[in-house]
Amino acid sequence: MPTPRLQTRRHVVPLLAASLLAVLGACASAPPSHQAFVVFFDEWSASPPAEANAVLDRAAGAARAEANAKVTLIGFSDPDGSPEANRTLSRQRADNVADALSARGIDPRRFVRIARGATEPTLAMVESRRVEIRIGE
């Protein structure tokens, strides 16, 4: 008989997987030449965590490989807080990801920054706190 902890995992993992698929759903409909990456953030933080460095490195490599493609940075927040605070935070997140990509050699003139605030929350709050990096759209 499985332990309660295993039963809990069995129920939570599909929910998290479905939520993550929703976050990345736009990637599936993008043309094959387009690439997308996601950087997740801590609550009320606009700074990418250290764990995001690998994603930022891969995104910068993809952007270098498609030197003429624009790089769209779409910032999101979870629904906690006012709409104005969430838009500001999502903009700061997009700006900080742009700075991180610039530090990795990507020309900032290629960036399109969008702040969506809490307009597209996911099942898991942590997945709502993100910046989507879309290359080639």
Side-chain angles (χ1 to χ4, degrees):
M1 179 171 168
T3 66
R5 182 176 181 165
L6 290 176
Q7 288 175 345
T8 301
R9 278 190 189 159
R10 189 177 310 133
H11 296 289
V12 170
V13 169
L15 285 175
L16 290 175
S19 184
L20 185 57
L21 287 174
V23 168
L24 298 174
C27 303
S29 63
S33 64
H34 297 176
Q35 296 186 53
F37 304 87
V38 180
V39 175
F40 295 102
F41 291 79
D42 294 325
E43 188 173 16
W44 292 110
S45 174
S47 299
E51 301 86 44
N53 282 328
V55 174
L56 292 165
D57 289 343
R58 286 194 315 273
R64 278 191 295 277
E66 296 188 44
N68 295 321
K70 71 178 177 178
V71 179
T72 304
L73 306 170
I74 307 169
F76 297 90
S77 66
D78 63 36
D80 289 345
S82 70
E84 299 82 27
N86 287 329
R87 273 191 302 277
T88 298
L89 181 58
S90 64
R91 176 58 184 219
Q92 291 170 339
R93 288 174 173 163
D95 288 345
N96 287 340
V97 167
D99 291 345
L101 292 173
S102 293
R104 288 166 170 80
I106 306 306
D107 186 345
R109 293 175 293 185
R110 296 176 57 192
F111 299 139
V112 175
R113 302 171 200 200
I114 301 168
R116 293 224 174 121
T119 60
E120 297 178 32
T122 60
L123 292 175
M125 294 286 265
V126 69
E127 293 170 0
S128 295
R129 300 186 294 261
R130 69 190 187 275
V131 169
E132 295 177 8
I133 305 166
R134 298 180 185 177
I135 299 168
E137 288 189 0

